[in-house]
């Protein structure tokens, strides 16, 4: 990353693999990957909010918290989002609110990252 400059072109390939498809004795493709990012939940895939997102009932999903997410747009550009929270002027997002926000930004795919009170972004 240190060698990158503003407006440099980079290529990032996202492949969504369900855990049950990935974990198998016959699947060693993961060792050939340069980078792997694992997080949960997947917010959007193929231009749609994940349908099972609204079925989760734990506070992690239903209460507002500081959040972090990454998404990609139809033109291939990336979106990195940090949502502040737990303050009078900023209450955070529920997981569904985060997904809808990423959709509103024009993401065709999005993934929730680690959130919470220490959510921060450094560029």
């Amino acid at each position: 990353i240190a060698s990158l400059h503003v407006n440099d072109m980079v290529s990032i390939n996202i492949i969504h693999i369900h855990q049950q498809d990935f974990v198998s004795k016959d699947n060693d493709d993961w060792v050939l990957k340069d980078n792997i990012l694992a997080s949960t939940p997947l917010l959007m895939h193929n231009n749609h909010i994940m349908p099972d997102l609204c079925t989760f009932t734990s506070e992690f999903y239903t209460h507002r918290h500081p959040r972090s997410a990454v998404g990609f747009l139809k033109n291939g550009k990336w979106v990195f989002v940090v949502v502040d929270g737990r303050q009078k002027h900023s209450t955070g997002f529920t997981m569904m609110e985060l997904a809808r926000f990423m959709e509103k930004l024009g993401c065709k795919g999005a993934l929730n990252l680690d959130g919470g009170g220490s959510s921060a972004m450094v560029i």
Side-chain angles (χ1 to χ4, degrees):
I1 289 179
S3 65
L4 291 177
H5 297 84
V6 173
N7 295 322
D8 279 355
M9 296 295 293
V10 295
S11 175
I12 300 173
N13 186 14
I14 290 183
I15 300 170
H16 173 241
I17 301 173
H18 289 282
Q19 183 176 5
Q20 65 269 19
D21 296 334
F22 186 73
V23 180
S24 90
K25 292 179 185 176
D26 300 328
N27 188 347
D28 289 330
D29 289 345
W30 66 273
V31 298
L32 302 175
K33 305 298 181 201
D34 292 327
N35 300 287
I36 297 175
L37 174 67
S39 191
T40 190
L42 186 64
L43 301 170
M44 296 184 65
H45 183 64
N46 288 334
N47 300 313
H48 298 287
I49 292 175
M50 297 302 290
D52 60 345
L53 205 55
C54 63
T55 64
F56 299 110
T57 58
S58 76
E59 291 182 7
F60 175 74
Y61 291 89
T62 62
H63 287 146
R64 288 184 167 171
H65 297 288
R67 307 281 183 180
S68 300
V70 61
F72 59 98
L73 306 172
K74 294 172 182 149
N75 65 7
K77 294 194 183 247
W78 287 83
V79 174
F80 296 89
V81 172
V82 174
V83 179
D84 196 13
R86 298 185 185 138
Q87 301 179 51
K88 286 182 181 180
H89 65 278
S90 178
T91 58
F93 275 166
T94 66
M95 202 60 72
M96 184 56 79
E97 288 172 335
L98 180 60
R100 288 185 181 131
F101 184 73
M102 299 302 280
E103 180 181 49
K104 185 176 180 178
L105 292 176
C107 292
K108 69 178 199 174
L111 177 65
N112 177 66
L113 300 174
D114 189 28
S118 62
S119 289
M121 183 182 300
V122 178
I123 299 176

